[in-house]
Amino acid sequence: MTQDFSTAFPLDELDDLYREVILDHYRSPRNRTPLPRPDIASEGQNPYCGDEVSVQMALEGERIAQVGIVGRGCSISQASASMMGELLKGKTLADALRLSRRVRDMLHGKALSPQELEELGDLEALRGVSKFPVRIKCALLAWTTLEEGIADWQKRRG
């Protein structure tokens, strides 16, 4: 989703649209196939609710060629992971970390420019999570796991 529907739809309809995007990614998660030889692999868990996610990436140089995400948990954590996988393919690791910071800012209620929101694609559907602090960790689980995986990969490379 890249358009700003805030002026075209009443808020209830906008909430319904966002809800549909989240449920679609939860029910039909993208990139669920584990990678046979990932360059980056990291596992994350939210001990408070039991959500789990495993993030794998195959690289071509520092560009993300493939993403594999497996997990279980609430609709917010799994939809966020699915949307993340769709967004990361073809990006560099630096782009991935920049997007992760942007998602973190959005979920903590920081105002983003229309261009920044457009860059987040379907993830904008999670903007409403900022109103529910308990759910922010759910939405950030895949992103935190991604950041840890990249940091580990960078550390191994020296």
Side-chain angles (χ1 to χ4, degrees):
M1 173 181 327
T2 58
Q3 294 180 295
D4 178 9
F5 294 106
S6 62
T7 57
F9 295 101
L11 284 179
D12 288 345
E13 290 180 35
L14 188 62
D15 285 345
D16 288 344
L17 177 65
Y18 284 163
R19 212 170 292 133
E20 285 180 34
V21 170
I22 292 168
L23 289 175
D24 178 53
H25 277 273
Y26 176 65
R27 292 178 181 145
S28 302
R30 283 67 159 182
N31 306 296
R32 288 290 275 200
T33 305
L35 303 181
R37 288 184 298 279
D39 296 295
I40 295 175
S42 184
E43 295 183 9
Q45 185 176 41
N46 184 344
Y48 298 108
C49 63
D51 290 348
E52 297 175 352
V53 68
S54 172
V55 176
Q56 300 177 329
M57 292 183 286
L59 304 176
E60 290 178 358
E62 288 204 14
R63 192 163 296 278
I64 301 166
Q66 289 181 295
V67 178
I69 299 174
V70 178
R72 64 185 177 112
C74 71
S75 59
I76 297 296
S77 71
Q78 300 307 300
S80 180
S82 174
M83 290 184 245
M84 180 185 81
E86 288 292 293
L87 192 61
L88 292 181
K89 286 188 276 186
K91 302 278 192 288
T92 65
L93 294 178
D95 290 339
L97 292 173
R98 184 178 44 77
L99 288 168
S100 185
R101 282 191 298 275
R102 189 157 295 150
V103 168
R104 195 174 296 280
D105 286 346
M106 177 185 73
L107 291 172
H108 284 103
K110 183 178 175 185
L112 300 179
S113 72
Q115 181 183 0
E116 291 171 327
L117 287 171
E118 184 175 327
E119 192 176 21
L120 294 180
D122 282 352
L123 282 157
E124 184 181 357
L126 294 173
R127 190 165 41 168
V129 171
S130 67
K131 299 173 193 163
F132 306 97
V134 173
R135 305 304 303 271
I136 293 173
K137 274 193 156 203
C138 299
L140 286 175
L141 178 61
W143 294 93
T144 300
T145 305
L146 168 78
E147 292 168 0
E148 291 170 356
I150 292 173
D152 183 56
W153 180 80
Q154 290 172 331
K155 186 177 175 182
R156 283 186 282 129
R157 291 188 69 205

